[in-house]
Amino acid sequence: MKAENAKLVDTYENKLPFSVLEEIKNSVPDSASKENIKTILEETFALYLQAKINPGECVGLVSAESIGEPGTQMTLNTFHFAGVAEMNVTTGLPRIIEIFDCQKTIKTPMMEVYLKDPKIENVKALALKIKETKFSEFVTSYSLNIFEQNLKVTLSRELLDDHGLDVKDMIKALKLKAKGFTMESDDGSLTFIHKGKPEDIKDLYNLKEKLKAVKISGLKGIRQVLPVKRGEEYIVLTSGTNLKEVLEMDEVDATRTICNDMNEVYQVLGLEAARQTVINEVYKVIESQGLNIDIRHIMLVADIMCASGVLRGITRYGVVKEKASVLARASFETPIRHLINAALEGEVDALTSVVENVMINQPVPLGTGLPGLITKLK
Amino acid sequence: MTSPAKHILVPSHVKLSDKEKETFLQSQNLTIKELPKILVNDPALIGSGAKEGDIIRIERASATAGKTFYYRVVING
């Protein structure tokens, strides 16, 4: 398209969506005259106005029905094994509920960690580095000696070498937890001896349990790691999330690494990123179930969840709590509690929305019921 | 850490000047209370110097419209 014609198209910037203008620019041939383009734009604009949703249309209701109906076809089965790997993912209806209710702890938190330099060796190294490893994983055997009042722990050489650690690093990591005990390291084993007078054998037993849970390496919360090929490059899938600390690592590509827990994304990347995560995650479920729901419906729900500046679920503690009308809140869940509280506080219901007007049998402010009429008296 | 603003999930957040704010509210026939909100301590607003009452223009990549503008008013959390 010629430059002057492109300029003409740009004058419709505020009237037509960006994607429509792009399409016009790409599909109109160079030979088109200025007049032709003017007509095209005018007609597109007229069609666009026709396609727009009218003021007063109840889009929320349409969304609810559009998501609800295919939702009945969704699997109630929670788990699904993604691909060849033994990584299980919540899908289907349970996942949708999880997202829309904005639950604080989701069933299968996951991250996709991208690398700046996605070579296979780097991916493997990173996978080992971020996996949360507890002390108990390095241990081959514990032996509690009752007569000498000590605890001997034998460590696995191979695992230590894999992680690039040695016995000294272990001592450093365990020092804080093993207060009141002296540690002696031997080739590949650690011996804990009670400082001072030997006391109850129970102390040693408690120490053993405490040591098991000490974190040696990795990031807190990352239970499982799995290097996989995604398109052309290798990435690390993790089960368990710690988005904040992963993004702080030097080798991680902090622009593409994502997480499926919207609350965590909200904390780390902010409201808009959380909104996008909600949309992406819901759409992923819908696609995997072979359903077809227009993305606008999901965008609407996500926008409502983010409207108050905080990420809120569609629950009686979230979005519904924000409603101004007592009757609207009472019609959702736990009606009696809402009514009693409203009565105690002396709340006033302005009856400006839909549900309360349905209840009292009055016209609802939707469609033709929305505009008020004013008569000009002569 | 690289700032959250560089992440693919985070669209660009731009603070409107006072003049732009006026013209925007007038052209849309809105009061500031009716806009969707964003907290002043949102990670995406770090370094933008936004304060309570400012309007943030968000340029979203939309699946249907290519790109769209969304407006949020900054509130104290």
Side-chain angles (χ1 to χ4, degrees), chain A residues 144 149 181 194 199-209:
Chain A
L144 250 165
Q149 292 281 323
F181 292 87
H194 218 294
E199 279 166 43
D200 212 351
I201 194 77
K202 217 175 149 194
D203 283 352
L204 278 173
Y205 186 76
N206 286 343
L207 175 74
K208 180 183 143 194
E209 291 303 313

Side-chain angles (χ1 to χ4, degrees), chain A residues 152-285:
Chain A
K152 195 175 171 189
V153 183
T154 323
L155 302 168
S156 156
R157 258 278 117 93
E158 283 170 38
L159 281 172
L160 282 178
D161 286 345
D162 273 1
H163 285 79
L165 298 165
D166 62 14
V167 183
K168 273 185 197 138
D169 296 315
M170 287 289 170
I171 295 178
K172 231 187 243 167
L174 297 176
K175 221 174 221 165
L176 275 174
K177 287 284 167 190
K179 265 181 195 151
F181 292 87
T182 44
M183 278 186 272
E184 280 173 16
S185 67
D186 194 359
D187 186 43
S189 70
L190 283 170
T191 316
F192 295 87
I193 306 163
H194 218 294
K195 267 184 202 160
K197 249 206 285 176
E199 279 166 43
D200 212 351
I201 194 77
K202 217 175 149 194
D203 283 352
L204 278 173
Y205 186 76
N206 286 343
L207 175 74
K208 180 183 143 194
E209 291 303 313
K210 238 200 260 172
L211 291 181
K212 274 186 184 173
V214 174
K215 190 187 92 179
I216 302 294
S217 70
L219 304 180
K220 195 171 170 278
I222 297 179
R223 294 189 298 270
Q224 213 186 350
V225 287
L226 190 75
V228 291
K229 199 170 186 185
R230 181 65 56 84
E232 283 297 291
E233 60 181 324
Y234 288 92
I235 64 164
V236 182
L237 276 184
T238 72
S239 152
T241 57
N242 194 335
L243 190 60
K244 189 162 197 274
E245 283 175 39
V246 163
L247 291 183
E248 277 165 8
M249 292 175 80
D250 287 333
E251 53 269 60
V252 170
D253 185 346
T255 60
R256 287 186 297 161
T257 295
I258 53 169
C259 161
N260 74 347
D261 182 345
M262 51 276 164
N263 281 302
E264 198 166 347
V265 173
Y266 173 61
Q267 296 296 337
V268 179
L269 296 173
L271 190 64
E272 281 293 319
R275 185 194 92 104
Q276 197 56 48
T277 305
V278 168
I279 297 172
N280 293 349
E281 290 298 320
V282 173
Y283 212 69
K284 229 190 263 173
V285 176

